[in-house]
């Protein structure tokens, strides 16, 4: 019954987190009252099992809703006031948590205690925790230090595209009220106080990094992740290897590592306790061994900073050890339900973490696999468990990440014991020895580094194999549910009626494909890539990408937005990729796109930068599936914004115009060469993101768009689109959208007319998202 109640509690928390807006605060009292009334009625009818069970489930549902709503309302109370965005503020507060070094500076959690408007000197209510960046050469920040900082803040924001990672959701999940950056030098007000665990972790990280630098290993990031749960030094290339081989779980201090360390402590303490007959007769060995295991697991979790995965693993460990220590014969489902309930009570936002679903799913699969008749030998048992995990978790990883590792089944058979036996023990021992100043710490760390290097060569080889990853669009939830049910049925004992039908339940996962335009139509999607441009044009059987977004440091729009969108749309190759001109905000994602997808034809307005590409020249035209594509500008390659490729797409009499960063001079040249009506378009991507130097009155009259999309970032520093440009289009009767506010925007071009828009923020809005949607300027 506890397991069913925990699932009901989970379901209601999940339901609240899918709402586009929070219910009124009064709903909290109603839900809490319903939960209390249902629980009281269940207790009164406890001898009548069916009515009592039904009432208990109702109580769990109401309690889950009330608990999640209380947490959401508390978070809203500490949200950043929109009026403070973009203004110079002076904060006084504490560095909370372990700072994350970056090539361009450092990022850190800051807990403000006092906020003053720098312009007026007025004090304002401090928001919740902030994620700040300090660029350049910042001072050494220590957890617990108090600082006075001059900053600029904004509400949580990020790209918002179908299939892409949503930074806004990640910030909400980790309880940040906003982001910002430090301006100026800052002033340290007081030395570090409190945050002893984080200060210890920082000291251990610096010592470990020093040793690993002397060793000369390239795996400092993975080793630090395994020792301290700090993954800030991991490189994108290392993450790519882990994703391809299905071994990313090894770099998170979660159930596998906490369970391994606790298991070693359990076995060692139990063996020692039994060697003292006097103690063994008085207390069973399982009691002190369980306490030692829990203490060891908690210590390891503390080294990882009690991160989300380690907290979840520690709760599950505590529940399992409690069952072991008390000797009560509760079912595995009961223990798993209790652990789930404890995790959700500690943090209802855990439902937003894919790790919650994967970790509890993995434990449930292992229990199911273990319940069947075990095969002969330990290797057979390990193979069965790995097969079961791969079969059951593949639908979840496809749904969450649009990929699943096919190499993971074989690789994990080696990687898990190798990491658990040859890497983690010497690494932890060496790290602790370094912290305590004991001899041998550097030698143990080097031993762990060499062991991981040997494993890493295997991982890189496996990641490079053809077909190592299964890349596919995220399947619909009903297909995921059927596939998980099929996997569970496959793990049932042989002889169960209907078990042989389990492969049929996997068919929708493999057969369902994303929708595509019918012949004669074109779907045009302007992606949200911040201050940059990327537009996808799809016809029935072809796909074109116009620009690839920008790049800032290690983050590029190609890998963060364009590739995930193409993958979820089912695009496996690009028939044409156009790089309109040489600005980084239009070509920054090019390398990532070309690495992820075949590009059959590459056109560019800057052939000097891309000698392998064809020059983008006026007069180039082609037809796909009844849709005409034509390059209108330039007549010959030229540098600068006015050399941008101008593309016109037409489905019958309905047209869209993509002019890149064309400015007034280029517009005049285009107007001189174009026949009357040749530039007419129903949909226009505003030239140069809506800047003041583009969208001249003559150009606007010639195009006469019904809809204008400004590809501009949220609160961008250029303040695009400019008010005068917006007013010019408004006076011409055009309706306007900004990708930074609406997210990705899709229109449908068909001979019958222009349909749309469909805005990603409106379609997938959640209550913590900042206002946006399809607001029209």
């Amino acid at each position: 019954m506890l397991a069913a109640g925990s699932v009901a509690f989970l379901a209601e928390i999940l339901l609240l987190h899918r709402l586009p807006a929070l219910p009124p605060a009064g709903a909290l009292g109603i839900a809490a009252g319903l939960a209390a009334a249902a629980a009281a009625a269940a207790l009164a009818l406890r001898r009548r099992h069916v009515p009592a069970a039904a009432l208990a489930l109702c109580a769990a549902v109401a309690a889950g809703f009330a608990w999640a709503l209380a947490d959401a309302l508390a978070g809203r109370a500490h949200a950043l006031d929109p009026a403070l965005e973009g203004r110079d503020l002076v904060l006084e507060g504490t560095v909370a948590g372990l700072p994350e070094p970056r090539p361009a500076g450092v990022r850190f959690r800051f807990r403000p205690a006092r906020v003053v408007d720098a312009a007026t000197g007025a004090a304002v209510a401090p928001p919740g925790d902030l994620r700040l960046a300090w660029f350049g050469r910042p001072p050494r920040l220590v957890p617990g230090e108090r600082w006075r900082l001059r900053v600029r803040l904004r509400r949580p924001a990020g790209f918002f595209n179908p299939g892409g990672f949503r930074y806004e959701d990640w910030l909400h999940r980790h309880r940040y009220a906003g982001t910002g950056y430090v301006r100026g030098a800052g002033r340290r007000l007081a030395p570090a106080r409190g945050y002893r665990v984080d200060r210890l972790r920082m000291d251990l990280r610096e010592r470990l990094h020093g040793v690993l630098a002397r060793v000369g290993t390239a795996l400092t990031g993975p080793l630090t992740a395994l020792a301290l749960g700090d993954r800030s030094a991991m490189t994108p290339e290392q993450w790519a290897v882990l994703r391809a081989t299905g071994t990313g779980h090894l770099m998170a201090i979660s159930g596998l590592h906490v369970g391994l360390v606790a298991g070693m402590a359990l076995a060692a303490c139990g063996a020692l306790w039994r060697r003292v007959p006097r103690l063994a007769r008085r207390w069973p060995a399982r009691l002190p061994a369980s306490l030692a295991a829990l203490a060891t697991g908690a210590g390891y979790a503390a080294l990882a900073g009690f991160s989300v995965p380690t907290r979840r693993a520690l709760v599950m460990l505590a529940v399992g050890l409690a069952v072991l220590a008390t000797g009560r014969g509760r079912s595995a489902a009961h223990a798993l339900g209790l652990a789930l309930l404890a995790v959700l009570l500690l943090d209802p936002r855990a439902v937003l973490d894919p790790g919650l679903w994967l970790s509890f799913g993995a434990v449930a699969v292992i229990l199911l696999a273990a319940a069947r008749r075990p095969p002969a030998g330990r290797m057979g048992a390990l193979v069965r468990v790995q097969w079961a995990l791969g079969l059951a978790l593949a639908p979840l990883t496809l749904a969450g990440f649009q990929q699943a590792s096919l190499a993971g089944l074989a690789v994990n058979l080696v990687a898990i014991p190798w990491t658990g036996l040859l890497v983690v023990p010497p690494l932890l021992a060496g790290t602790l020895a370094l912290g305590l100043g004991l001899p041998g710490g550097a030698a143990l760390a080097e031993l762990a580094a060499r062991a991981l290097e040997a494993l890493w060569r295997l991982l890189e080889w496996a990641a490079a194999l053809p077909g190592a990853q299964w890349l596919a669009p995220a399947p619909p939830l009903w297909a995921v549910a059927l596939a998980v049910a099929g996997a569970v049925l496959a793990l049932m004992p042989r002889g169960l009626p209907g078990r042989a039908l389990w492969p049929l339940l996997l068919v929708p996962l493999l057969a369902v494909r994303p929708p595509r335009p019918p012949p004669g139509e074109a779907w045009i999607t302007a992606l949200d890539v911040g201050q940059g441009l990327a537009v996808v044009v799809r016809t029935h059987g072809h796909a074109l990408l116009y620009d690839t977004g920008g790049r800032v440091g290690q983050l590029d729009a190609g890998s963060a937005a364009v590739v995930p969108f193409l993958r979820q749309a089912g695009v496996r190759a690009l028939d044409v990729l156009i790089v309109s001109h040489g600005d980084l905000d239009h070509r920054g994602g090019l390398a990532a796109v070309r690495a992820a997808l075949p590009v059959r034809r590459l056109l560019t307005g800057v052939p000097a930068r891309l000698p392998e590409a064809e020059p983008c020249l006026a007069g180039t035209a082609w037809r796909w599936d009844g849709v005409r594509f034509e390059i209108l500008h330039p007549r010959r390659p030229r540098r600068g914004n006015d050399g941008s490729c101008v593309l016109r797409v037409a489905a019958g009499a309905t047209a869209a115009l993509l002019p890149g960063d064309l400015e007034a001079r280029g517009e005049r040249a285009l107007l001189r060469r174009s026949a009357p009506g040749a530039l007419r378009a129903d949909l226009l991507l505003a030239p140069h993101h809506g800047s003041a130097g583009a969208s001249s009155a003559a150009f606007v009259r010639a195009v006469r768009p019904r809809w204008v999309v400004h590809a501009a970032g949220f609160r961008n520093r250029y303040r695009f689109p400019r008010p005068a440009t917006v007013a010019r289009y408004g006076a011409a009767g055009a309706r306007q959208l900004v990708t930074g506010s609406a997210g990705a925007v899709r229109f449908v071009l068909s001979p019958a007319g222009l349909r749309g828009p469909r805005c990603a923020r409106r379609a997938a809005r959640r209550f913590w998202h900042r206002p946006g949607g399809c607001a029209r300027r």
Side-chain angles (χ1 to χ4, degrees):
M1 184 60 202
L2 178 60
S6 298
V7 171
F9 192 77
L10 166 70
E12 203 59 22
I13 292 177
L14 182 63
L15 174 65
L16 184 126
H17 281 90
R18 294 188 65 84
L19 294 179
L22 281 178
L28 176 60
I30 296 173
L34 288 174
L43 285 174
L45 298 173
R46 59 185 177 275
R47 294 184 179 179
R48 300 175 62 183
H49 296 296
V50 174
L55 286 168
L57 287 177
C58 290
V61 167
F65 187 85
W67 187 244
L69 181 56
D71 175 74
L73 291 172
R76 188 169 67 179
H78 294 93
L80 178 67
D81 185 350
L84 301 179
E85 286 186 304
R87 297 166 62 178
D88 278 5
L89 303 172
V90 178
L91 308 183
E92 291 183 9
T94 306
V95 177
L98 189 66
E100 305 169 19
R102 291 287 189 270
V106 66
R107 291 189 182 274
F108 59 101
R109 181 184 285 266
F110 192 74
R111 188 160 293 160
R114 184 167 181 265
V115 180
V116 174
D117 189 319
T120 65
V124 296
D129 287 5
L130 302 168
R131 183 168 173 82
L132 298 182
W134 198 332
F135 299 112
R137 295 184 177 180
R140 181 176 182 267
L141 300 176
V142 178
E145 288 181 336
R146 286 186 58 82
W147 280 83
R148 179 182 293 129
L149 303 173
R150 191 183 187 96
V151 303
R152 283 190 179 177
L153 303 178
R154 72 174 186 175
R155 289 168 289 171
F159 299 162
F160 207 105
N161 301 289
F165 171 72
R166 291 180 186 164
Y167 185 50
E168 202 168 339
D169 293 357
W170 185 90
L171 292 169
H172 172 76
R173 169 70 189 91
H174 290 83
R175 299 179 181 275
Y176 285 106
T179 62
Y181 60 94
V182 178
R183 294 164 57 86
R187 179 183 174 188
R188 184 182 284 108
L189 299 178
R193 294 182 58 186
Y195 297 91
R196 293 183 178 180
V197 170
D198 288 316
R199 282 189 281 150
L200 172 63
R201 294 177 68 221
M202 185 170 180
D203 179 64
L204 290 175
R205 181 176 70 181
E206 291 174 348
R207 297 187 184 205
L208 182 61
H209 281 192
V211 169
L212 295 176
R214 291 193 295 272
V215 168
T217 181
L219 299 178
T220 296
L223 288 164
T224 309
L226 283 169
L228 302 171
D230 174 26
R231 296 180 282 182
S232 60
M234 295 278 293
T235 66
E237 294 76 16
Q238 289 167 344
W239 281 119
V241 169
L242 295 172
R243 284 193 300 268
T245 56
T247 51
H249 60 95
L250 296 178
M251 295 303 116
I253 299 180
S254 56
L256 176 64
H257 304 92
V258 173
L260 171 69
V261 172
M264 291 179 176
L266 182 74
C269 182
L272 291 174
W273 194 268
R274 293 185 188 95
R275 287 183 175 272
V276 184
R278 183 174 168 185
L279 293 175
R281 284 193 299 269
R282 187 163 188 179
W283 293 290
R286 66 174 182 269
L287 293 176
S290 297
L291 290 174
L294 182 60
T296 306
Y300 192 20
L303 274 181
F306 290 108
S307 62
V308 172
T310 52
R311 289 201 305 266
R312 184 170 59 241
L314 191 59
V315 168
M316 297 175 76
L317 175 67
V319 170
L321 290 174
V323 172
L324 175 65
T326 58
R328 296 184 178 180
R330 295 286 187 181
S331 69
H334 180 93
L336 196 62
L338 182 60
L340 176 62
L341 181 62
V343 167
L344 295 175
L345 287 173
L346 286 172
D347 184 10
R349 298 187 196 184
V351 297
L352 301 174
D353 187 356
L356 173 83
W357 304 91
L358 292 174
S359 60
F360 276 93
V363 173
V365 167
I366 292 171
L367 293 174
L368 278 173
R372 296 182 59 187
R373 182 179 178 181
R378 294 182 179 178
M379 182 54 69
L382 185 58
V383 170
R384 168 178 285 179
V385 168
Q386 278 300 118
W387 176 84
L389 288 172
L391 179 66
L393 298 186
L396 298 180
T397 55
L398 274 180
F401 307 105
Q402 300 189 68
Q403 61 185 20
S405 174
L406 300 180
L409 173 61
V411 169
N412 275 291
L413 290 174
V414 177
I416 290 175
W418 188 284
T419 305
L421 298 177
L422 301 180
V423 179
V424 171
L427 180 61
L428 285 183
T431 303
L432 292 176
L434 290 172
L436 296 173
L438 299 176
L444 287 169
E446 182 175 1
L447 179 63
R450 299 310 178 206
L452 185 59
E453 286 171 351
L455 175 63
W456 201 264
R457 285 191 286 272
L458 171 66
L459 298 183
E460 289 180 325
W461 173 80
L465 291 174
Q469 290 186 90
W470 177 19
L471 303 176
L477 289 179
W478 63 267
V480 173
L482 285 178
V484 170
V488 171
L489 193 59
L491 298 175
M492 292 291 106
R494 294 179 180 176
L496 182 73
R499 179 181 176 274
L501 299 177
W502 69 265
L504 296 179
L505 297 179
L506 303 182
V507 171
L509 188 74
L510 306 173
V512 174
R513 292 289 178 264
R516 58 178 179 169
E521 285 191 0
W523 293 358
I524 299 183
T525 305
L527 298 179
D528 177 12
V529 292
Q531 189 55 39
L533 180 64
V535 181
V536 177
V537 183
R538 297 172 60 206
T539 65
H540 182 69
H542 298 83
L544 175 147
L545 175 63
Y546 183 94
D547 284 340
T548 62
R551 184 178 71 242
V552 179
Q554 291 186 333
L555 175 66
D556 73 87
S559 57
V562 179
V563 171
F565 173 81
L566 293 173
R567 189 170 293 157
Q568 69 83 36
V571 176
R572 298 185 178 182
L574 288 170
D575 297 281
V576 173
L577 194 162
I578 297 176
V579 178
S580 65
H581 64 298
D583 285 1
L584 188 62
D585 59 333
H586 292 249
R587 61 175 177 84
L590 177 61
V593 172
R594 296 178 75 180
L597 294 166
V599 177
R600 299 190 175 110
R601 188 181 184 189
L602 179 61
L603 301 174
T604 181
V606 280
R609 284 185 178 270
L610 295 170
E612 72 275 24
E614 299 177 41
C616 185
L617 299 176
T620 305
W622 65 93
R623 183 177 292 273
W624 288 340
D625 308 311
V627 179
R628 178 174 170 78
F629 295 76
E630 183 180 5
I631 304 294
L632 304 181
H633 181 83
R635 287 192 297 179
R636 59 181 179 274
R638 55 189 302 179
R639 301 175 63 182
N641 288 345
D642 287 327
S644 295
C645 295
V646 177
L647 175 68
R648 188 172 188 268
V649 184
T654 309
L657 191 65
L658 284 64
D661 272 0
L662 203 66
E663 295 186 302
R665 181 180 175 186
E667 292 173 359
R668 289 194 295 271
L670 181 61
L671 289 168
R672 284 195 301 269
R673 295 198 313 269
S674 300
L679 297 182
R680 174 75 177 90
D682 301 271
L683 171 64
L684 172 68
L685 267 293
H688 199 198
H689 316 282
S691 73
S695 301
S696 62
F699 180 80
V700 172
R701 286 194 302 270
V703 179
R704 288 182 294 150
R706 291 173 49 202
W707 280 95
V708 176
V709 175
H710 301 277
F714 175 67
R715 296 193 64 84
N716 65 84
R717 60 177 177 164
Y718 306 104
R719 300 182 181 178
F720 292 161
R722 288 290 189 170
T725 303
V726 172
R728 202 173 300 132
Y729 283 116
R735 290 171 286 185
Q736 303 175 63
L737 294 170
V738 182
T739 54
S741 297
V745 180
R746 191 186 83 178
F747 286 87
V748 176
L749 264 66
S750 76
L754 182 71
R755 300 198 303 272
R758 177 180 174 83
C759 303
R761 279 194 173 272
R762 183 169 65 183
R765 177 162 176 74
R766 301 292 181 262
F767 65 80
W768 61 87
H769 292 158
R770 58 177 171 78
C774 270
R776 301 171 183 176
R777 299 178 70 94

